[in-house]
Each structure stands twice: as structure tokens, then as C-alpha cells.
Amino acid sequence: MLLSLRWLKDYVDIELTPVELAGCLTMAGLEVDAIHERGPSFTGTVVAKILSIKPHPEADKLSLCEVTTGEDAYPVVCGAGNIHPGDVVPLAKVGATIPDGITIKRSMIRGKVSEGMLCSEKDLGLGEDTTGVMILPADLTIGRNLTDALDLKDTVLDVVITPNRADCLSVIGVAREIAAITGRKLRYPRITFSEEGEDIHHVTSVAILDPDLCPRYSARVIRNVRVKPFPLWMRLRLEAVGLRAINNIVDCTNFVMMELGQPLHAFDYHLLEEGRIVVRRSRPGEIFTSLDGKERNLPADTVLICDGAKPVAIGGIMGGLNSEVRENTETVLLESAYFNPSSIRRSARTLGMGTESSFRFERGCDPVGVIRALNRAAQLIADFSGGQICKNYIDQYPKRIETVSIPLRPKKVKQVLGTAIDSSEMIGILKSLEVIVNKVDRDEGVYQVNPPTFRVDITREIDLIEEIARLYGYDRIPIKLPNVSVTPVTKDPKKILEDRIRIVLVGYGYSEVINYSFICPGSVDILALRKDDERRQLVRIKNPLTEDQSVMRTTIVYSLLNTYEKNTRDGCFDLKIFEIGRVFFQRKEGELPCEKNHLGCLLAGLRYDDFWRSKLHADFYDLKGCVEGLFDNLKISDVKFSLDNPETFLHPGRSCRIYICGQFVGFLGEVHPNILTSLGLKNRAIICELDLDVLAAKFPHRVLYKEVSRFPSSSRDVAFLVPETLEADKIINFALGTGEELLEKVHIFDIYTGQGIPEGMKSLGLRFSYRSSSRTLTDVEVNQVHSRIVKNIVASAGAKIRGEEMQL
């Protein structure tokens, strides 16, 4: 917000330099972003007096003027018709510069010497009036530099106002802060005027149909106004804060808005049908033409200011073209109101109409200051337009806004700030902000505080403490570490698991990616999920950014495939990525969605980097080995890979489901070629997804160790003939399921099909290792245990022993 230093000085005495003032405001919470020096764009122009005016002998429309600067007289040829002897005017002397880069020179005009130029407001860049020479006040010192005589120089502070400080969106508001900081007295403008003519209640009426949108609406009527330019000193103040001068009526409302922070609006009374005001909410499909000439399709629940037949303004945002003040306006209906902040904020954003009015209303104006602003604007309009203010004013206030009362404990202030501030100083600070303070308990020293209605941000005791701290001075509060008890923080086991997974996968050469949780609804069809698959229970977003991001994902697979597709478009075909994120499932209607933590991995392209000179492509077993290594690092045992119930989006012969202790935890496999084709991908991709919530339950918080046996192991090899479709894992389970304590481990060392093997069968070579922790085993002991295990496998799996019979 731009603030004129000259304007601020109208309300508070300021002896600080602009830099010092900026520092004080910044330390008090109003950051000054920049300081601008403002001045006129002309030089060499002085205050002069016309001594005489004679007709130009060679031109009917020109005059020969003799002007004086007090010491010297100058002949000037002028074509204006509004000047007379004795007028005080601006004289641009020879060598002076005026806007547009024009330099005044001594010249001959129709045979007569002209040593300067009598300037209009437009010539000097001080206004839009080009009808004649600018007539200056008669009491100005002749010969004085015009810039100094009119006090045209100013300093403008660019202050950053935080959203909670709506009270500082005015000159008075910031002046109040300066007065509190410097200990000066704030001077409010005096509001005095006379009321003439008929009573306003005989002229107009106000009806509020929706008090929830407009709790208060007040109005005055001013008759016999003359629309003309605003005085220069007021125009300069408006221009300094970034507002363009229009006419004295509109400029008065803008002046009061910037002065008191209360937006107002002036209607041409004769353009209001039935001469009355009705405040209501908009109707569906209602269209309104605003002052900027644009047709607005009004959203629902927009507050409208209407006359007896039609809308004439969008409440709190902008007036209408059908009731604006014009050059021939004679009677003005002046509006001052309080609107619901959330309603104005919603309407302004929907309409894309961020105005000075909406900027203040949506942050919260002072409901009590409505009448003060109304009277101040009526006073200025009457003073500068010659109008007469009708008797009385209308004030409809159906939904009163109650003030808050907050207890303040000085002990609490000292405890929070960590410094001893005298109670009298606390109260003095609060009173300088126009806070009402009453002591209610002398023994406990508790005060009852009533913040002013313009401080909508003060609602709690801690807010009062903040006000005391910032005006007491943050630099005066000593730096002191608080006395706190430190307790060790236990890290979330799930976070420990995720961190461990990241370390392992990065060590395997994978890169972590982060995708949006929002995906397109068609993803479930692209992945060809079954109709009864729970992953079709999508959580829909009420206000999606785009249709492609209108539902929450139920699987990480689609996100990873999208990432792969984007990389291939950029020429990256070799990819090793993983993502740890959430998936969401819609439960019953009205219930909150179910959220789960998942891990997804994707592998595609070459197995090794190009510089290894290997063209081998990654396959199913590369990712399976990575997953097995992850489980091994996490010390998660009893992991099984099963071919049952394959995923529809995975290759049926190159995929599996993963179980831990019999509980389903995820899947792994090569993506089905049809899915890849639908996504525009040509190369194979292997993918897996694991439920981290299940992993977290199986993840051991402590690692248990046992002593390594000092005694040697003994091994036996057996080749079994089994059906090709039988999973080798089942044979191993049959072996481990016998419960033999001496059996240390079983692993596959050979799988063979071909010559010598019956069709539909395969040879499965298993190596059994036996060991005791207390002694060295004899061959007899090993053979006995081994025989029982082999017989159990033959009986359970229907297997045959390949080759010669074992020597038992």
C-alpha cells in the first residue's frame, strides 16, 4: 500500500526522517518495502502576477501580457481567455522544462517577443484542465518556485500490509500506528456540516433483504451538487497513493476510503428507479454491467445493491454503469456499508474483480466506522461541490456485530515475552491503540480488555500480548532460552522403514520419484482392472484442477508408467525408479476414504549402463532379485512368491504375487504388452507394488542374533522329477515342513528339461545342508534325517528321484 508522508502528517506530528520512520514501522510489524521521492515533472516555473493584458496587433486570439516575478517583468504572448490583470499564474521562464521534454525558449510570436509561457494544469502535468491558464491562490509569494509554493514534493512509503491488519489499509490507520510508536497524539479530521432541506426519509429508503451478506447499510442524500475537478491538493494526495482523480464527487469517496479505510459509493439519485435502495443476493443467471463497461455473469450469493427495479452496484466491489455520477448529476445518494468479508472475497475472486473496495471489505472493515465515513464524505462533497445535505441519514443495522471482551493477565504477558514489563506500560501501549482497558481484579491483577471494532485481528489474549510486544519493541526483549524439559523423541517405525527402503533401493541404483496423487478416472480402464477390483473404488475430487487429475489414485502403477512414458518422450529409455506414496480407496457413501502407504518400483531398458558394453535387457528376475534383497536387508522372512491370481495388467507368465507369512503384500511382474501399447510404450517394463502398512507390521524393530555353530555342516544332493507346472517353492516347503532340527537350509542348484527327461516333467536339483550346534554329525545321523525328508517330499509332491536309488 502506498502512503503519502505529507498526508500522514495531517493526522500526526512526524519528526523522524523517512528512513527512520520506515525502520520504526518495520520493527512494529508494518514492513516498508520501498521509499519513493515524488515531485513535479517540470523545472524553472515560478509564481508570477499579471500586470497588464493587451490585444496582440497581429492575432485576434492572442494577448500581450506583462507579468512580474517581483523583481523583473517579462513580456509573454498568451492565447488563453480566462486571465485578467492581477491574476496570480505559473510562469515557465526561458530555460524551464515542462512535461514531454519541452524546453521554453525566447521566441517571436507574430512579431512580438515572448519570454516565457503561462501554463495550464495540463501543461504542468498537474491535471487534465486545458481550458485556460492555471489560476493560483492570490496569497502565494510572487517569484517563489512553483514546486515549493504549492508544496508539490512528497515522500511515498510502500508499506506491506499483512492480511490480518485491515485497520492499516488507511492513512489514519498507519498514522495511529505512528502515534503509538512515537508517543504522539492522533488527530482525527473534524467533521462538521449543516443539514438543509427535507428529511432524507421523505426522499429515499433502504431495505436489506439478506442481512447475512450485508449486516449494515447507511445512506445520505446531497442535493444541488456541481460536478467539477477536485482541488489540486487533494488530487495530489490521491495520485500519491496510486488513485486517478476523476471528479469531485467520486474523488471524495476515494479520498475517504484512503483516509478512513471505509469504501463508499456515490449514486446519481435521479438514475435510481423509485429513488430507493434494496440490498439482496443475486439470482441465478443474473447479468450486470459494471462501471468498467463489462458485462458480468454474477455467481450465486453475490450481494447486489438495487434500486426499485434493477441492480445498480455489486456490493463492496464496483458500481454500475447505469447509476454512475456524471457531469450533469445534481443529486447524489451516498452509500456507506459493512459487507460480509467472506462473501465479498468469494464474489471478487469468482468475478476476477480485485478492486480497492473489495480489497478492504474482504479483510474486514470497521462496522462502527460506517457512519463516521458517511458523514466525512458528505462533508467533503458539500464543501467541494456546493451541495446541500438533506436532514438526517438512513442507518439499517439488522444484524449487529458484537464486540469481544478479552481478559489480560500481566503475569502471562511476562511469562510469554520472558521479560518484566510494568503493568502501567502495558496498559499505556494498549490505550495508544484505542483499546479500552478495565481492571476487574485488583488482587490478581487481571484486566478486561475491549479491542476497538476496527481491530478484527484481536480476538484472544495472545493477540494482546503480541500488540504489547511489537510496540514495546522486539529489540528491547532480551534473548533468553526458555526452561523446557527435553524428552527423547521416538521416531515413527513407519518412517524408519521408509528411510531404510530408500537407502536400500538407492544402493541398488534406483532413483526416487514423486508423483501427484491425482490421476485421471480412465486409469482403471487403461490398466484393465477387473470389475470387482477394489481399485475401481475411486475417490473423486470436488474441485479438480483438470479432468486428468479428478480422482485419487488407488495404485502407484499408473503413476510410474506415466513417469516412464514422459521419460521415453525425452529420449530416456533406461529407467530404475521407485516411489513411496499413498493410495486412496472410497469406502461407503459418507465415510472417509481409506488411505494406505505403498511402495512402487519400475525397471526398464538395459540391465547395465552403456559403458559396460552390455546390451542385455533387464527382465523379471532383475526386479525380483532386488525385492528379495530388500526383504533380506529388512530382516523380513517367510517371503513367498506365488503364481496364483495374476494381475490383469501384468504378463500372465512373467508375474507373481508376494506373500509374507501367508499374508498378501504385493505383486511383481512384467507389464502386459497391451497396457504398454495403450500408453504408447514400445519397450518392456517390469513393475512391482508393495503394501508398506503390511511391511511395517512384519518389520522387526529389533534384530535377534544367535551363535554361529562351531561344528561343520554336511550336505546331500537329490534330483527330483516333478511336473513342469509344479513350483519349486512347494518342494522346498515340503522339506522345511518336516520340522527336522538338524536341517539348516535347502536351496535349488539345478533345473533341467530336455533329453532324458519325460515330456511335461522337469528335473529339480536340491541341496540339503545339515548342522548341529552342539556336536559333529555322523553320516548315519545325517542319512537318517535326510531319508525321512526325501520320503516326505516324494509322498507329498508325487515326485520321483532321478537316476539311481539313494544309498540309505
Side-chain angles (χ1 to χ4, degrees):
M1 177 180 173
L2 300 178
L3 287 166
S4 163
L5 184 58
R6 181 170 54 195
W7 200 349
L8 285 168
K9 288 180 178 179
D10 289 343
Y11 313 112
V12 63
D13 294 328
I14 301 174
E15 296 180 356
L16 301 173
T17 66
V19 174
E20 291 172 338
L21 178 61
C24 290
L25 287 173
T26 299
M27 290 303 296
L30 300 178
E31 181 186 356
V32 178
D33 195 44
I35 301 174
H36 307 286
E37 295 298 331
R38 182 180 174 85
S41 54
F42 58 82
T43 61
T45 302
V46 298
V47 178
K49 185 175 183 179
I50 300 176
L51 298 177
S52 64
I53 301 176
K54 298 177 182 179
H56 195 295
E58 301 297 331
D60 295 338
K61 294 183 179 182
L62 297 179
S63 300
L64 300 178
C65 303
E66 184 179 6
V67 297
T68 180
T69 59
E71 296 180 355
D72 302 310
Y74 300 89
V76 177
V77 177
C78 181
N82 68 322
I83 52 176
H84 304 88
D87 285 343
V88 178
V89 294
L91 170 65
K93 299 164 64 176
V94 174
T97 61
I98 59 176
D100 296 331
I102 299 173
T103 301
I104 305 301
K105 300 178 181 179
R106 186 177 185 275
S107 58
M108 295 290 292
I109 301 177
R110 296 289 184 94
K112 297 296 181 179
V113 175
S114 181
E115 295 185 355
M117 175 180 173
L118 302 185
C119 303
S120 67
E121 286 187 357
K122 181 73 171 179
D123 294 331
L124 298 175
L126 298 177
E128 299 298 324
D129 188 3
T130 59
T131 58
V133 172
M134 182 180 182
I135 306 300
L136 301 174
D139 58 351
L140 293 184
T141 303
I142 304 302
R144 191 178 181 192
N145 185 286
L146 185 64
T147 299
D148 299 330
L150 296 180
D151 193 21
L152 298 179
K153 290 184 179 180
D154 194 4
T155 301
V156 177
L157 305 178
D158 190 350
V159 184
V160 179
I161 308 296
T162 53
N164 65 312
R165 293 303 304 274
D167 61 298
C168 289
L169 292 173
S170 65
V171 180
I172 288 280
V174 177
R176 183 186 300 112
E177 292 289 308
I178 296 172
I181 293 168
T182 61
R184 301 288 183 176
K185 186 177 180 180
L186 180 66
R187 298 185 297 270
Y188 279 98
R190 292 185 60 190
I191 304 175
T192 58
F193 54 85
S194 60
E195 297 177 332
E196 305 174 22
E198 58 189 321
D199 191 288
I200 189 174
H201 295 91
H202 299 153
V203 177
T204 187
S205 64
V206 173
I208 301 177
L209 303 185
D210 293 285
D212 57 322
L213 299 181
C214 177
R216 189 174 194 179
Y217 193 100
S218 62
R220 274 192 180 274
V221 172
I222 304 100
R223 291 192 181 278
N224 302 320
V225 300
R226 288 182 56 209
V227 179
K228 57 184 179 180
F230 221 23
L232 177 63
W233 66 272
M234 278 195 167
R235 279 187 277 136
L236 292 175
R237 277 163 171 70
L238 289 177
E239 290 169 2
V241 297
L243 295 180
R244 180 176 61 89
I246 300 173
N247 58 55
N248 55 345
I249 308 300
V250 176
D251 292 348
C252 279
T253 62
N254 287 336
F255 185 89
V256 175
M257 176 181 68
M258 300 307 299
E259 181 184 55
L260 299 177
Q262 171 67 42
L264 305 102
H265 188 69
F267 298 99
D268 187 324
Y269 173 79
H270 293 298
L271 296 178
L272 300 177
E273 294 191 38
E274 301 180 16
R276 64 191 181 99
I277 292 293
V278 178
V279 184
R280 63 170 175 83
R281 67 180 70 234
S282 59
R283 302 187 182 105
E286 201 158 8
I287 296 176
F288 178 71
T289 303
S290 52
L291 271 173
D292 54 8
K294 296 181 180 179
E295 282 195 351
R296 308 284 182 176
N297 191 350
L298 301 177
D301 295 332
T302 298
V303 58
L304 283 181
I305 312 301
C306 308
D307 58 17
K310 63 184 183 301
V312 291
I314 304 174
I317 300 177
M318 188 179 287
L321 203 60
N322 56 4
S323 61
E324 67 172 332
V325 172
R326 304 170 187 181
E327 290 184 359
N328 60 350
T329 296
E330 295 180 350
T331 303
V332 168
L333 187 145
L334 183 62
E335 162 199 289
S336 181
Y338 177 84
F339 297 104
N340 183 300
S342 60
S343 170
I344 299 300
R345 186 184 308 116
R346 181 171 56 250
S347 298
R349 292 187 180 180
T350 304
L351 292 168
M353 298 176 70
T355 63
E356 291 286 349
S357 294
S358 67
F359 188 75
R360 285 161 176 78
F361 277 125
E362 68 186 22
R363 283 160 174 77
C365 291
D366 180 9
V368 175
V370 167
I371 301 302
R372 179 196 293 174
L374 177 71
N375 291 335
R376 174 64 168 161
Q379 173 197 25
L380 294 176
I381 291 175
D383 289 346
F384 296 108
S385 72
Q388 289 86 44
I389 303 172
C390 288
K391 292 178 181 179
N392 295 323
Y393 60 87
I394 292 175
D395 183 23
Q396 294 292 334
Y397 199 177
K399 190 174 182 180
R400 292 195 170 269
I401 298 172
E402 301 298 331
T403 58
V404 296
S405 183
I406 307 169
L408 176 67
R409 299 162 292 173
K411 289 183 180 179
K412 182 67 174 179
V413 177
K414 297 173 184 178
Q415 179 186 354
V416 172
L417 300 184
T419 187
I421 303 178
D422 190 80
S423 296
S424 61
E425 188 170 3
M426 295 181 194
I427 303 310
I429 289 172
L430 293 176
K431 286 186 175 180
S432 70
L433 296 172
E434 301 183 24
V435 174
I436 299 173
V437 183
N438 297 307
K439 195 166 188 177
V440 294
D441 191 331
R442 294 185 178 276
D443 296 330
E444 295 294 329
V446 178
Y447 295 88
Q448 201 66 29
V449 177
N450 297 96
T453 51
F454 54 77
R455 288 303 301 270
V456 295
D457 59 313
I458 300 179
T459 57
R460 304 168 299 166
E461 184 182 34
I462 195 65
D463 298 327
L464 295 171
I465 296 174
E466 182 183 357
E467 293 301 299
I468 293 170
R470 69 184 186 85
L471 291 177
Y472 177 76
Y474 294 122
D475 55 336
R476 294 175 61 191
I477 299 175
I479 299 173
K480 184 179 179 181
L481 292 176
N483 295 323
V484 294
S485 59
V486 180
T487 56
V489 178
T490 304
K491 197 170 183 180
D492 185 356
K494 290 185 178 181
K495 294 297 181 184
I496 296 175
L497 174 64
E498 291 178 6
D499 292 343
R500 181 79 69 83
I501 289 173
R502 287 187 176 93
I503 292 172
V504 173
L505 292 180
V506 169
Y508 286 152
Y510 286 74
S511 299
E512 184 174 9
V513 297
I514 300 175
N515 289 299
Y516 286 117
S517 296
F518 318 128
I519 58 174
C520 68
S523 60
V524 293
D525 295 322
I526 293 174
L527 294 179
L529 297 178
R530 299 182 183 92
K531 297 297 182 182
D532 59 346
D533 196 315
E534 69 167 353
R535 287 168 292 191
R536 282 188 173 272
Q537 299 173 11
L538 299 172
V539 179
R540 298 196 172 273
I541 301 170
K542 288 185 177 179
N543 55 340
L545 298 176
T546 64
E547 182 61 25
D548 288 341
Q549 295 181 334
S550 59
V551 298
M552 308 296 288
R553 65 185 179 185
T554 55
T555 175
I556 294 183
V557 169
Y558 186 76
S559 300
L560 292 178
L561 289 175
N562 263 340
T563 302
Y564 179 37
E565 188 270 333
K566 291 175 184 176
N567 276 267
T568 57
R569 276 191 274 133
D570 293 335
C572 179
F573 301 97
D574 306 326
L575 214 58
K576 296 172 77 173
I577 57 175
F578 74 95
E579 180 178 3
I580 296 174
R582 290 189 177 186
V583 295
F584 306 82
F585 301 92
Q586 182 63 60
R587 292 177 173 175
K588 295 180 181 178
E589 192 69 29
E591 293 186 8
L592 291 175
C594 172
E595 299 182 22
K596 295 183 180 180
N597 297 297
H598 278 204
L599 163 69
C601 299
L602 183 141
L603 178 63
L606 296 177
R607 179 178 294 171
Y608 307 110
D609 291 331
D610 285 343
F611 52 76
W612 288 107
R613 295 184 179 179
S614 172
K615 296 299 181 182
L616 293 176
H617 284 268
D619 59 18
F620 168 85
Y621 292 102
D622 288 291
L623 187 54
K624 181 174 181 288
C626 173
V627 172
E628 288 177 326
L630 175 64
F631 289 144
D632 184 64
N633 189 281
L634 298 177
K635 307 302 179 187
I636 295 176
S637 57
D638 197 12
V639 179
K640 306 297 180 186
F641 296 88
S642 175
L643 296 176
D644 65 316
N645 196 19
E647 299 288 344
T648 55
F649 51 83
L650 296 180
H651 195 296
R654 300 171 187 171
S655 61
C656 65
R657 290 164 67 87
I658 306 172
Y659 297 85
I660 298 177
C661 300
Q663 184 177 1
F664 175 73
V665 71
F667 54 83
L668 183 155
E670 185 177 312
V671 181
H672 198 288
N674 293 343
I675 306 298
L676 294 174
T677 302
S678 65
L679 293 170
L681 297 168
K682 298 180 180 179
N683 297 332
R684 291 190 298 176
I686 303 95
I687 203 162
C688 83
E689 186 169 355
L690 302 175
D691 189 330
L692 291 185
D693 295 329
V694 176
L695 284 186
K698 307 297 182 183
F699 178 54
H701 302 300
R702 292 183 301 167
V703 178
L704 300 178
Y705 296 89
K706 65 179 181 179
E707 183 181 1
V708 178
S709 176
R710 297 180 290 109
F711 302 98
S713 66
S714 180
S715 62
R716 299 289 187 273
D717 293 345
V718 181
F720 294 97
L721 282 175
V722 296
E724 253 186 322
T725 57
L726 183 66
E727 296 179 27
D729 192 55
K730 291 185 177 180
I731 303 294
I732 296 176
N733 289 337
F734 289 141
L736 297 175
T738 58
E740 297 288 349
E741 293 183 3
L742 298 181
L743 179 61
E744 185 178 45
K745 61 182 178 180
V746 182
H747 69 268
I748 302 170
F749 70 86
D750 178 59
I751 297 178
Y752 173 71
T753 57
Q755 188 176 357
I757 303 298
E759 187 176 352
M761 305 290 284
K762 63 182 175 183
S763 172
L764 184 65
L766 299 182
R767 178 161 295 163
F768 301 83
S769 295
Y770 302 93
R771 191 195 302 268
S772 172
S773 59
S774 60
R775 66 187 188 280
T776 300
L777 297 176
T778 64
D779 284 345
V780 174
E781 290 178 299
V782 172
N783 289 340
Q784 289 175 349
V785 173
H786 182 64
S787 176
R788 291 196 295 269
I789 291 175
V790 171
K791 287 179 180 179
N792 183 64
I793 293 174
V794 171
S796 300
K800 296 181 180 179
I801 299 174
R802 183 184 170 198
E804 297 181 357
E805 292 292 327
M806 294 177 51
Q807 300 295 323
L808 300 179

